[in-house]
Amino acid sequence: MKKLLLSATLLLATVAASRAQDFKYQTPPKALQDLLLAPPTPRVSLSSDGRVMALLQVQDFPTVAELAAPELRLAGLRFNPRTNGQSRVSYAVGIKLKTLPNGAETEVKGLPAQARISSVSWSPDNKTMAFALTTPGTGTDGRVELWVADVAGATARRLLVTPLNDAFGNAFEWVSDNKTILARVVPAGRGAAPSADAAPTGPAVQESGGGKKTAAPTYQDLLKSPTDERLFDHYATSQLVKVNVADGVAQPLGQPGVIQTASPSPDGRYVLVRTRHRPYSYTLPITRFPQRIDVLDLTSGSVVKTVADLPLADAVPIGADAAPTGPRNHAWRSDVPATIYYVEAQDGGNPKTKADIRDKLFTLEAPFSGAAQELAALPLRFGGLSWGNNQLALVDGYRWADRHQTTWQLNPGKAGAPLAVLFDGSSEDKYKDPGTPYEHRNAQGKLVLLTGGANNQSIYLLGNGASPEGDRPFVDELDLRTKKTIRWWRSEGQVYEVPIAILDASGKKRQLLTRRESLTQSPNYYLRDAAKKDKLTAVTKFPNPYAAFGGSFPKQVLKYKRADGVELTANLYLPPNYKKTDGPLPTLMSAYPLEFKDKSTAGQVSGSPYTFTRLGGGSPVFWVTQGYAVLENVSVPIVGEGSKDPNDTYIEQLVSSAKAAIDEGARLGVVDPERVGVMGHSYGAFMTANLLTHSNLFKAGIARSGAYNRTLTPYGFQGEERNYWQARDVYNAMSPFNYADKIKTPILLIHGEADNNTGTYPIQSERYFAALKGQGATARYVVLPAEAHGYAARENMLHVLWETNAWLEKYVKAPASQPAK
């Protein structure tokens, strides 16, 4: 009888463990809850003349009901059919204006209650701000509207009655006359959306062959049927209009279409329009759809020139150095009235093709009737361009295979003139990074290089200042004739201060806007005179969000080596009032692996020991309040030098990096190596599963929104450019799914129901959990309603903290004995 009762009890326990649970949202311990819900800090937007700052009050966490609003997922886009605007936007809910440095903060009046503000944009003369305002609606009455605010009067008004079509985001742009805005709106008389419930007229059919290789990453939210195509056309089609800012009168320009971008020329005479068109693809997102590039006359709306009509980009090789054939990257030269530039691959877009010239840069000047002019031939793939004037432009090139990057100085007034190398080196070598050339907005509202110094021959470089002691941001002046730099300013002392804008580049004043913080002081903005070391004026006084919790979470940057000699770092956080005599603590580690081609650069220090710790929802630092030591941002470099690929020894380097961090914490006497948990998000979740599979370093793991079976991402992932058939053993060895029978450590899997990230389909966690369950592993699988790759809803965020805390308490803080591996 006792045997029967025991068997029945075990059977019930097995059934309970296997079935889906009708689970309600839970909340974590109060300390975790209060920290997550600490008041958000305002965002800032600075006028181009540096005189006025807009303080944008940030929306608190949306509710899961708001997140679960209707959403269409088509062609790689996600938008709300009620509003015809992007879904999952982080809105501002109010605007204050402040004259720098000491003006009062003035609330912008005229906004509706519960305003949802996005896409804030200053007019070129900084007298007016434009922004999108979303009314969510409850049926079909939602909309995204174009609003403007008068800066001097701090008053806002709706500018346009017709709703914006904001499916692509950034649905409007200022014209340089300060009187006109170009906007994409819902076409008049559009009618009702096609029914998604109509009976199919036939199957969805795709075909390949003829020797054409059309490999693609595992994109999400793609079109799947003719019904999807019709829905996409309905919601993505817009009408371009020019709007008079004074009275809101709108004049249509051109014909309705799937207009992705529309940008006015610097002189305000033309519009460069990018329109996507059929045939669409069921395996690629809109960024690969056929496109037509037209120049429209801004007065009449007529087509002046069709610059290009490009086919579906379905044969682009896999890899970071690959590019489509044909002209690409069409945009305006920002420093002249009306000249288009574009680039075109000379190697068929295939980086494996031997070629002395990878890309060529072309320009086409108004009235666009002549042939395009070749401006430069680049030995590397085009990586970006900064215009200065007719004698100065900077062009970037890169080669991912060996992380090589070059910046050339170019004279736009002399087509075909030899390129002059300005910077050359490795993108991985942070210590030698010269900084980023600083751009400001000119009178036409376009970004151009800021020049100064003798005869305007100097440019300015803003950099992170990476060094063995951590980041020390700087501002340099570079004389382009002598190639010598003068250091204006560098962040010093036990603070982290980063330059945001150069407000005055004159030799006497050298005024900067910076953001300054420390371990105990939350970030705020300051005016700094770089010529006078101690002259610093506070612009904002944002309160410390953690004042009620002691104000800060002090950290210590650890420096140590792994077994192969690669130098590593990690941030160590300890509970408040912890003393060495308290002994080693249960520990939580978090990390995110990165690929490198050189051991010396892999070991370079990243970040600063003096930054203020702001806790995002995915931070492990919450758990110092629960008595844990936390090893955060642990270095996990995966190195493949020379002809070797990093992932060939991924598992060995992964485990070695984790062991080195635990050993260092144990050496310091703060980490109990018998009680360590590991957590990670996305590629960090993949790391977590592999660490639990291939080591016995941890007592539990938390893996959020990861990918665990690399055969489901056969055409590359993360930094891996080889496909599955080229590196079958690597893909298989790196897939924890393949070793579900080996894992003995408890693992908590969390995934957003609506994950939109390439490669991390929810099915990755679903199938991995099924494999673990089938092998009798201790696992829990939590699906968060309505969440994408990053989590946003209040209820879900709190629940994730509860799940994580419960898992750590059960398996890390007081772990039961586990079977030896």
Side-chain angles (χ1 to χ4, degrees), residues 375-377 410-411 414-420:
L375 190 58
L410 173 67
N411 186 337
K414 294 183 179 180
L419 294 168

Short mmCIF file of all heavy atoms in Angstrom, two decimals, residues 375-377 410-411 414-420:
data_model
loop_
_atom_site.label_atom_id
_atom_site.label_comp_id
_atom_site.label_asym_id
_atom_site.label_seq_id
_atom_site.Cartn_x
_atom_site.Cartn_y
_atom_site.Cartn_z
N LEU A 375 34.47 60.57 -57.71
CA LEU A 375 35.18 61.44 -56.78
C LEU A 375 36.37 60.73 -56.14
O LEU A 375 37.41 61.34 -55.90
CB LEU A 375 34.22 61.94 -55.69
CG LEU A 375 34.73 63.05 -54.77
CD1 LEU A 375 35.15 64.28 -55.58
CD2 LEU A 375 33.65 63.42 -53.76
N ALA A 376 36.21 59.43 -55.84
CA ALA A 376 37.30 58.72 -55.19
C ALA A 376 37.15 57.22 -55.37
O ALA A 376 36.03 56.71 -55.49
CB ALA A 376 37.34 59.06 -53.69
N ALA A 377 38.27 56.51 -55.36
CA ALA A 377 38.30 55.05 -55.43
C ALA A 377 38.88 54.54 -54.11
O ALA A 377 39.98 54.93 -53.71
CB ALA A 377 39.15 54.58 -56.61
N LEU A 410 39.91 63.91 -48.16
CA LEU A 410 39.52 64.02 -49.56
C LEU A 410 39.26 65.47 -49.91
O LEU A 410 38.68 66.23 -49.11
CB LEU A 410 38.25 63.18 -49.79
CG LEU A 410 37.54 63.26 -51.14
CD1 LEU A 410 38.41 62.65 -52.23
CD2 LEU A 410 36.20 62.53 -51.06
N ASN A 411 39.67 65.88 -51.10
CA ASN A 411 39.38 67.22 -51.62
C ASN A 411 38.23 67.11 -52.62
O ASN A 411 38.44 66.71 -53.76
CB ASN A 411 40.61 67.81 -52.29
CG ASN A 411 40.40 69.27 -52.72
OD1 ASN A 411 39.28 69.71 -52.91
ND2 ASN A 411 41.50 69.99 -52.88
N LYS A 414 38.48 68.48 -56.26
CA LYS A 414 39.40 67.88 -57.22
C LYS A 414 39.06 66.41 -57.38
O LYS A 414 39.64 65.55 -56.70
CB LYS A 414 40.85 68.06 -56.76
CG LYS A 414 41.31 69.51 -56.74
CD LYS A 414 42.78 69.61 -56.34
CE LYS A 414 43.24 71.06 -56.34
NZ LYS A 414 44.68 71.18 -55.94
N ALA A 415 38.11 66.14 -58.25
CA ALA A 415 37.69 64.75 -58.48
C ALA A 415 38.86 63.90 -58.93
O ALA A 415 39.64 64.30 -59.80
CB ALA A 415 36.57 64.72 -59.52
N GLY A 416 38.97 62.71 -58.32
CA GLY A 416 40.02 61.79 -58.71
C GLY A 416 41.37 62.07 -58.10
O GLY A 416 42.33 61.33 -58.35
N ALA A 417 41.47 63.12 -57.27
CA ALA A 417 42.75 63.40 -56.61
C ALA A 417 43.09 62.28 -55.65
O ALA A 417 42.20 61.64 -55.08
CB ALA A 417 42.67 64.73 -55.87
N PRO A 418 44.37 62.00 -55.46
CA PRO A 418 44.76 60.89 -54.57
C PRO A 418 44.21 61.08 -53.16
O PRO A 418 44.13 62.20 -52.64
CB PRO A 418 46.29 60.95 -54.58
CG PRO A 418 46.64 61.69 -55.83
CD PRO A 418 45.54 62.66 -56.07
N LEU A 419 43.82 59.97 -52.54
CA LEU A 419 43.37 60.02 -51.16
C LEU A 419 44.57 60.17 -50.23
O LEU A 419 45.63 59.57 -50.47
CB LEU A 419 42.63 58.73 -50.81
CG LEU A 419 41.31 58.47 -51.53
CD1 LEU A 419 40.86 57.03 -51.29
CD2 LEU A 419 40.24 59.44 -51.07
N ALA A 420 44.41 60.95 -49.19
CA ALA A 420 45.46 61.12 -48.20
C ALA A 420 45.02 60.44 -46.91
O ALA A 420 43.97 60.75 -46.36
CB ALA A 420 45.71 62.61 -47.95
#
